[in-house]
């Protein structure tokens, strides 16, 4: 009963006159010739076409388009130089194959786009059919067409057609049809234009039996909105969309977006890293810390993981004995990270999870560094960059950087470190004229080694510390450390492509970090992130000069993708006291001229002073005798004005007479 009474109340409100006038045409107003649905059809067809066309283009592009890994340029170079070894070429082909696979290209997203495209084109076809079948609504007033007769019909035929249609559309027989009255009027006018001489002349001359008509503007809405039977449904849909659907969409978007920071990292992860990345955090702690982040905890263990991870657990027994977090997800992720660092073979499901974890690695590394910058933990930042190198190249901290060379094993490394022309790290091996450890490699493997050495960045670092436009550094100055990085392995108009990383399943671009710390290397002063892969890159670090004295700073230039290429420099700084240096302030002539120009306020005050002085000069130029005469009269006038306001008339007359006598005395004075 409660629901029935509520529906009855809503219907009463809807049928009230104020609401009825919103949806229906008031019978007291002049009726239109007809309700026009064509405008709505045109508008709807245009909107559907605007959406359907790009959606269809994306579907065909997915089916027939070529999808290659996109390498975005980071500099103004014309050529991106990639590694030409067989391992990197195979990796690139694998990525292209994965991106263009049927499963990747024709997934649920593609199916949804196809379904939407079909629905939009079907809607467009129906709208076009309605437009073509509704031409009668947009044609000009035609009485023959309205009455359904031929142009040569007789008066009898006209009268019969009118009688038939008037009975059909009479308002008394169509009480619930708001368009019946308009059609009845339309039929009446059509009959009038064919039987009345005046109406026929107006129709032939102006196209309307009533003569020239003013332009009428209507809203292009579908006709069903005007039916009284649909008013409750329309109202319910409107309020449901306004009060339920839109707030729900906004709430879901807010609930999802508030979980992430601007860099795309979960806020939960940032809070966790801020808490556990301390000044004592080193490389050995980072695998477990990264394994506990919210991004990595989203991977749910499978029922087959216990069997698949048994060999890994047996081999990593020493690592697992020192774990800090006992959460099953964290332990599983920690095992996968250490298995990757040891280049252990994984089952396809575990390899898939590890690939997803490595995809999030770059943004987690950058977030961790940004958080450590806040606390200026220099060694923690260095450890995070070292951990990034290890994850990209799948090496442990104790492994030799020479294992990054293609086809190199411990046997090759042993030969590289012994005898004449021995090398200890990757940087020395790349620059060596006589490379060791290549004796047992095939010709194809030697070509891979040469291609790798040609691709690894041979970075030449130059730095300079100075204060801009000054010869000395004085306490309180803003010092600028200019670091010039030149890749000697690149030619002009070339930039480095993705790094050589056979065990990293995704394309990875180099990021170089320039760090400036104190003499102990514990406190960070400033840093810069270099993403430019061009041949010559210049980066500037700024900091405030300390008090007067001799200082040493440590400058680190580290790559996040290769081991053994880091460089470290000792920067010496001699800071003078302000009393020791007399700096001459040189003012440019143009600046001096600008300083000499009056300001707007000064110009305004000068203009006022000039006006006051001109008024004073005019008063001084008046003749003295006339001035005296005027003064007397002015004095008399002032006294007149004052005494007019007095209460006693006799006192006023006496003063006036006295003033007149004084004026006469002034006039008869002899002139010397």
């Amino acid at each position: 009963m409660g629901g029935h009474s509520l529906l009855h109340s809503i219907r009463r409100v809807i049928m009230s006159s104020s609401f009825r006038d919103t949806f229906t045409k008031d019978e007291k107003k002049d009726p239109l010739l007809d309700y026009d649905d064509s405008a709505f059809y045109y508008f709807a067809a245009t909107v559907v076409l605007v959406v359907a066309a790009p959606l269809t283009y994306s579907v065909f592009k997915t089916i027939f388009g070529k999808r290659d890994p996109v390498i975005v340029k980071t500099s103004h170079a014309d050529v991106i130089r990639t590694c030409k070894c067989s391992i990197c070429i195979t990796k690139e082909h694998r990525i292209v194959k994965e991106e263009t696979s049927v499963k990747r290209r024709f997934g649920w997203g593609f199916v949804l786009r196809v379904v939407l495209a079909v629905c939009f084109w079907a809607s467009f076809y129906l709208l076009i059919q309605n437009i073509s079948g509704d031409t009668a609504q947009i044609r000009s007033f035609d009485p023959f067409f309205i009455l359904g007769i031929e142009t040569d019909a007789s008066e009898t035929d006209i009268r019969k057609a009118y009688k038939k249609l008037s009975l059909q559309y009479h308002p008394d027989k169509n009480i619930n049809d708001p368009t019946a009255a308009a059609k009845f009027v339309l039929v009446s006018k059509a009959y009038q234009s064919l039987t009345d001489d005046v109406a026929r002349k107006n129709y032939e001359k102006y196209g309307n039996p009533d003569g020239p008509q003013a332009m009428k503007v209507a809203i292009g809405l579908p006709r069903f909105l005007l039916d009284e039977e649909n008013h409750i449904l329309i109202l319910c849909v409107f309020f449901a969309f306004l009060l339920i659907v839109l707030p729900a969409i906004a709430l879901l978007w807010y609930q999802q977006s508030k979980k992430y920071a601007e860099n795309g990292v979960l806020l939960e992860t940032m809070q966790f890293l801020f808490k556990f990345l301390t000044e004592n955090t080193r490389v050995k702690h980072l695998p477990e810390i990264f394994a506990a982040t919210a991004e990595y905890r989203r991977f749910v263990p499978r029922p087959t993981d216990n069997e698949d991870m048994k060999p890994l657990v047996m081999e990593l027994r020493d690592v697992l004995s020192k774990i800090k977090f006992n959460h099953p997800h964290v332990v599983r992720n920690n095992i996968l990270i250490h298995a990757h660092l040891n280049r252990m073979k994984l089952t396809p499901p575990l390899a898939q999870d590890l690939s997803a974890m490595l995809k999030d690695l770059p943004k987690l590394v950058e977030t961790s560094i940004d958080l450590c910058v806040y606390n200026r933990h220099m060694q923690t930042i260095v450890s995070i960059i070292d951990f990034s190198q290890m994850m990209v190249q799948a090496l442990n901290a104790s492994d030799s950087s020479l294992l990054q060379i293609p086809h190199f094993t411990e046997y090759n490394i042993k030969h590289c470190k012994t005898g004449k022309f021995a090398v200890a790290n990757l940087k020395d091996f790349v620059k060596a004229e006589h490379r060791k450890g290549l004796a047992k490699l095939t010709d194809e493997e030697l070509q891979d080694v040469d291609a790798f050495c040609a691709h690894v960045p041979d970075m030449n670092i130059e730095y300079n510390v100075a204060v801009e436009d000054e010869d000395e550094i004085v306490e309180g100055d803003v010092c600028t450390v200019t670091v010039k990085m030149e890749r000697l392995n690149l030619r002009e108009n070339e930039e480095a492509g993705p790094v050589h990383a056979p065990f990293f399943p995704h394309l990875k671009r180099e990021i170089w970090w320039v760090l400036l710390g104190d003499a102990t290397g514990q406190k960070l002063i400033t840093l810069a992130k270099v993403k430019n892969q061009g041949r010559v890159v210049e980066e500037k670090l700024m900091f405030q000069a300390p008090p007067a004295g001799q200082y040493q700073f440590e400058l680190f230039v580290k790559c996040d993708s290769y081991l053994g290429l880091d460089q470290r420099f000792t920067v010496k700084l001699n800071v003078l006291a302000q009393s020791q240096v007399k700096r001459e302030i040189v003012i440019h002539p143009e600046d001096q001229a600008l300083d000499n120009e009056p300001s707007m306020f000064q110009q305004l005050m000068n203009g006022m002073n000039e006006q006051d002085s001109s008024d004073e000069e005019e008063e001084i130029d008046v003749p003295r005798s006339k001035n005296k005469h005027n003064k007397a009269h002015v004095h008399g006038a002032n006294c007149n004005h004052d005494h007019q306001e007095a209460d006693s008339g006799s006192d006023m007359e006496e003063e006036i007479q006295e003033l007149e006598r004084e004026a006469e005395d002034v006039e008869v004075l002899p002139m010397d």
Side-chain angles (χ1 to χ4, degrees):
M1 292 297 292
H4 180 71
S5 60
L6 178 61
L7 183 61
H8 182 67
S9 301
I10 294 175
R11 188 174 185 86
R12 287 175 57 190
V13 172
I14 292 176
M15 295 306 296
S16 62
S17 60
S18 59
F19 189 83
R20 177 185 176 88
D21 292 341
T22 305
F23 285 89
T24 62
K25 180 168 61 64
D26 190 359
E27 287 80 7
K28 296 180 180 180
K29 300 178 182 179
D30 294 336
L32 299 175
L33 294 179
D34 197 0
Y35 290 98
D36 188 7
D37 288 344
S38 300
F40 171 75
Y41 294 147
Y42 276 106
F43 173 75
T46 304
V47 173
V48 170
L49 182 62
V50 168
V51 178
L55 190 62
T56 306
Y57 173 77
S58 67
V59 171
F60 281 100
K61 184 178 180 181
T62 304
I63 298 174
F64 302 106
K66 183 180 180 181
R67 299 182 61 184
D68 293 334
V70 178
I71 303 176
V72 181
K73 290 185 178 181
T74 60
S75 65
H76 299 290
D78 299 330
V79 180
I80 297 179
R81 185 171 179 178
T82 59
C83 183
K84 301 301 181 182
C85 71
S86 60
I87 300 175
C88 289
I89 293 175
T90 303
K91 176 183 175 180
E92 183 177 353
H93 290 167
R94 176 183 58 80
I95 294 176
V96 172
K97 185 178 179 180
E98 291 178 356
E99 291 292 331
T100 57
S101 63
V102 175
K103 184 177 180 181
R104 181 69 62 87
R105 298 175 65 180
F106 306 113
W108 288 110
F110 174 79
V111 174
L112 179 61
R113 282 182 291 161
V114 171
V115 172
L116 290 176
V118 172
C119 293
F120 277 115
W121 283 114
S123 301
F124 181 76
Y125 174 77
L126 294 177
L127 291 170
I128 293 299
Q129 291 294 323
N130 288 328
I131 291 174
S132 61
D134 199 41
T135 55
Q137 296 188 17
I138 59 175
R139 64 176 61 186
S140 60
F141 179 79
D142 187 355
F144 298 99
F145 179 81
I146 295 172
L147 296 177
I149 58 178
E150 301 294 335
T151 55
D152 57 351
S154 62
E155 292 185 4
T156 304
D157 296 333
I158 295 174
R159 192 176 297 108
K160 288 181 180 180
Y162 166 69
K163 184 177 181 180
K164 177 182 178 182
L165 294 177
S166 61
L167 292 176
Q168 180 181 352
Y169 295 112
H170 197 281
D172 295 339
K173 295 184 178 181
N174 300 274
I175 300 175
N176 295 326
D177 188 1
T179 62
K183 292 181 179 179
F184 180 78
V185 173
L186 189 64
V187 171
S188 300
K189 288 188 176 183
Y191 175 73
Q192 182 184 8
S193 64
L194 296 179
T195 57
D196 186 81
D197 294 337
V198 178
R200 192 179 187 95
K201 290 180 180 179
N202 289 333
Y203 165 67
E204 293 175 353
K205 185 175 182 180
Y206 302 107
N208 193 287
D210 296 332
Q213 300 293 308
M215 183 181 65
K216 295 183 180 180
V217 180
I219 300 175
L221 291 176
R223 183 177 298 174
F224 71 87
L225 295 177
L226 303 174
D227 295 338
E228 293 183 2
E229 298 177 354
N230 300 329
H231 289 174
I232 296 179
L233 177 62
I234 294 170
L235 183 64
C236 293
V237 171
F238 172 75
F239 281 107
F241 180 77
L242 186 65
L243 300 179
I244 298 177
V245 177
L246 281 182
I249 294 174
L251 182 61
L252 291 175
W253 174 83
Y254 174 73
Q255 291 291 339
Q256 187 67 18
S257 63
K258 74 175 184 179
K259 298 179 182 179
Y260 293 88
E262 294 182 358
N263 56 2
V265 177
L266 289 168
L267 293 177
E268 182 183 354
T269 296
M270 297 186 67
Q271 295 172 358
F272 175 81
L273 294 175
F274 186 79
K275 179 180 180 180
F276 287 95
L277 291 176
T278 64
E279 59 183 350
N280 298 321
T281 302
R282 295 297 179 264
V283 174
K284 62 182 180 180
H285 307 126
L286 291 174
E288 190 173 13
I289 292 177
F290 274 66
T293 57
E295 276 79 3
Y296 286 178
R297 293 201 311 270
R298 67 184 178 183
F299 300 104
V300 181
R302 302 179 182 86
T304 59
D305 286 351
N306 292 332
E307 189 68 24
D308 295 340
M309 298 187 72
K310 280 184 180 179
L312 307 179
V313 174
M314 295 298 296
E315 192 166 347
L316 300 173
R317 188 179 305 169
D318 296 337
V319 175
L320 298 178
S321 62
K322 302 176 182 179
I323 60 174
K324 183 177 180 181
F325 304 105
N326 292 321
H327 193 279
H329 292 63
V330 178
V331 174
R332 176 179 179 274
N333 297 334
N334 192 14
I335 294 175
L336 291 179
I337 291 176
H338 280 93
H340 173 69
L341 296 178
N342 288 275
R343 297 185 176 182
M344 300 173 64
K345 188 173 181 59
L346 303 176
T347 60
L350 295 179
Q352 182 180 359
D353 290 348
L354 178 63
S355 176
M357 293 169 61
L358 294 175
K359 188 175 183 179
D360 292 334
L361 176 70
K363 65 179 182 181
L364 291 178
V365 169
E366 293 187 21
T367 301
S368 302
I369 294 175
D370 293 338
L371 294 174
C372 292
V373 170
Y374 178 79
N375 295 317
R376 301 193 177 279
H377 295 159
M378 180 74 171
Q379 287 302 318
T380 305
I381 295 176
V382 172
S383 299
I384 293 172
I385 299 174
D386 292 340
F387 178 70
S388 175
Q389 299 172 357
M390 294 161 50
M391 291 291 286
V392 172
Q393 297 297 334
L395 293 173
N396 274 307
S398 58
D399 293 333
S400 173
S401 61
L402 296 176
L403 285 175
Q404 300 171 98
I405 304 173
H407 314 295
F408 260 50
T409 61
E410 293 293 341
Y411 173 82
N412 304 96
I413 294 174
K414 182 179 179 180
H415 281 271
C416 289
K417 292 184 177 181
T418 57
K420 192 177 181 180
F421 305 115
V423 292
N425 52 48
L426 178 63
K427 183 180 179 182
D428 296 337
F429 181 85
V430 172
K431 290 187 175 182
E433 296 182 0
H434 304 280
R435 294 170 180 165
K436 303 187 63 178
L438 308 177
K440 293 188 177 182
L441 298 181
T442 64
D443 293 340
E444 291 79 7
E445 293 174 343
L446 290 175
Q447 292 178 2
D448 290 342
V449 173
D450 292 338
F452 169 79
C453 294
H455 181 70
V456 171
D458 184 9
M459 193 72 73
N460 180 49
I461 308 295
E462 297 179 1
Y463 69 91
N464 179 43
V465 184
V467 178
E468 293 185 1
D469 300 328
E470 299 294 345
D471 297 331
E472 305 89 0
I473 299 177
V474 180
E475 54 184 355
D477 287 346
V478 178
C479 300
T480 302
V481 181
T482 304
V483 181
K484 182 180 179 181
M485 307 168 63
E486 183 179 5
R487 300 173 187 266
L488 302 179
N489 61 310
L490 296 182
R491 303 185 183 92
E492 294 293 337
N493 295 325
E494 283 186 347
E495 76 168 60
V499 301
H500 173 89
F503 296 91
F504 196 82
H506 311 284
L507 295 178
K508 175 73 173 66
R509 303 299 297 273
E510 302 172 19
I511 295 180
W512 288 79
W513 294 89
V514 183
L515 313 173
L516 183 67
D518 59 5
T520 62
Q522 300 295 326
K523 202 73 173 178
L524 176 70
I525 296 177
T526 182
L527 87 166
K529 179 174 63 175
V530 183
K531 289 187 175 182
N532 193 326
Q533 309 293 311
R535 185 175 185 273
V536 179
V537 181
E538 189 173 275
E539 193 67 32
K540 294 184 178 181
L541 293 81
M542 296 184 180
F543 67 97
Q544 189 174 13
Q550 300 285 339
Y551 296 92
Q552 286 187 356
F553 300 96
E554 296 298 321
L555 180 66
F556 294 83
V557 181
K558 297 179 69 66
C559 178
D560 74 331
S561 303
Y562 292 104
L563 288 84
L565 300 182
D566 302 338
Q567 300 187 41
R568 182 173 180 175
F569 306 92
T570 300
V571 179
K572 296 182 179 181
L573 192 65
N574 182 24
V575 182
L576 303 178
Q578 294 183 357
S579 58
Q580 295 178 274
V581 179
K582 294 183 179 180
R583 289 178 174 174
E584 181 181 358
I585 301 176
V586 180
I587 302 177
H588 196 274
E590 294 182 359
D591 296 335
Q592 185 67 34
L594 291 175
D595 292 338
N596 294 333
E597 292 183 0
S599 63
M600 184 179 296
F601 178 75
Q602 292 174 341
Q603 294 177 4
L604 179 62
M605 296 300 298
N606 292 337
M608 295 176 62
N609 293 334
E610 291 178 358
Q611 184 177 0
D612 294 341
S613 61
S614 62
D615 294 341
E616 293 178 357
E617 291 177 357
E618 291 179 359
E619 293 179 359
I620 294 174
D621 291 340
V622 179
R624 184 179 301 176
S625 59
K626 187 176 180 180
N627 189 25
K628 290 181 179 180
H629 182 71
N630 290 339
K631 284 182 179 180
H633 283 286
V634 169
H635 180 64
N638 290 335
C639 292
N640 267 329
H641 179 70
D642 295 337
H643 288 287
Q644 284 176 0
E645 298 177 356
D647 296 336
S648 175
S650 59
D651 294 340
M652 184 182 299
E653 292 179 357
E654 291 178 0
E655 290 183 2
I656 292 174
Q657 293 176 0
E658 184 178 358
L659 288 173
E660 290 178 350
R661 286 195 298 271
E662 290 178 359
E664 292 175 356
D665 293 339
V666 171
E667 291 177 354
V668 297
L669 285 176
M671 300 294 293
D672 294 335

